[in-house]
Amino acid sequence: MSEVLRRSSQRDVVAALDVRGDCEVVLKRVRAPDRNAIRRLRSVEHAYAQIDHPNVMQVVELKQTRTDAWLVSKRVSGDDLLTWWRRLPLHATSRFEERWRYLAPVLTGLLDGLEAIHKASLAHLDVKPANILISGAGRPTLVGTGFAEPSDSP
């Protein structure tokens, strides 16, 4: 089982089943990575190994071939933030309190996830609705690898 989630000239994102761990994973393929890209991917993999947080995706490993690098992470189920928001039983006339009831737990989870990322000396450089997945229970998870390299200071 595999499914192409996104494709571009330099990268592909593919969902697949990891038969070793019997779990769904997402593979981010970087075509023909140069040394800097490999170094950055290794840094991301190493830093993610230190993050164990329910609001941050889990990176499993980095695989390299002669022509590609694959960053493997556990697949997160849910809708992206905009799709989730549009499905809520809210209307243009909904009161702030009603909207806040749905949004407060999501914002709290996102801030907790970002704090975990920052404690690992990283910065997520691609926080956008498509990189925030909301589970059926309403829990947000930051996905994507828009990370800068770890800094030297905590």
Side-chain angles (χ1 to χ4, degrees):
M1 169 201 109
S2 65
E3 169 190 5
V4 176
L5 302 175
R6 262 187 309 271
R7 181 164 291 200
S8 72
S9 61
Q10 293 297 311
R11 294 183 172 89
D12 295 324
V13 179
V14 179
L17 179 64
D18 181 351
V19 294
R20 299 171 301 168
D22 195 31
C23 66
E24 289 185 67
V25 293
V26 172
L27 301 101
K28 181 176 186 177
R29 175 187 181 202
V30 179
R31 290 189 188 98
D34 60 18
R35 287 183 185 193
N36 287 333
I38 293 295
R39 188 173 46 89
R40 183 175 175 276
L41 287 167
R42 281 189 188 135
S43 294
V44 167
E45 177 200 21
H46 176 73
Y48 261 111
Q50 300 171 38
I51 301 173
D52 182 18
H53 196 279
N55 301 106
V56 178
M57 73 175 198
Q58 289 183 290
V59 170
V60 177
E61 63 186 323
L62 176 65
K63 291 287 191 183
Q64 290 178 251
T65 67
R66 290 182 185 200
T67 58
D68 302 320
W70 299 81
L71 190 64
V72 183
S73 61
K74 289 191 178 179
R75 188 169 190 182
V76 176
S77 62
D79 293 323
D80 68 76
L81 182 63
L82 286 179
T83 302
W84 172 81
W85 184 255
R86 289 180 183 131
R87 289 185 180 163
L88 291 177
L90 298 171
H91 307 284
T93 58
S94 296
R95 296 179 32 170
F96 173 80
E97 293 81 10
E98 191 176 358
R99 292 170 190 265
W100 187 246
R101 182 180 56 203
Y102 292 103
L103 194 55
V106 170
L107 289 176
T108 301
L110 287 175
L111 291 174
D112 287 346
L114 285 169
E115 181 180 35
I117 290 168
H118 291 177
K119 283 182 178 179
S121 299
L122 292 172
H124 193 300
L125 300 176
D126 200 19
V127 177
K128 60 185 179 184
N131 284 344
I132 300 167
L133 298 181
I134 312 295
S135 72
R139 188 183 83 231
T141 304
L142 286 161
V143 299
T145 55
F147 288 88
E149 292 186 33
S151 66
D152 292 331
S153 62

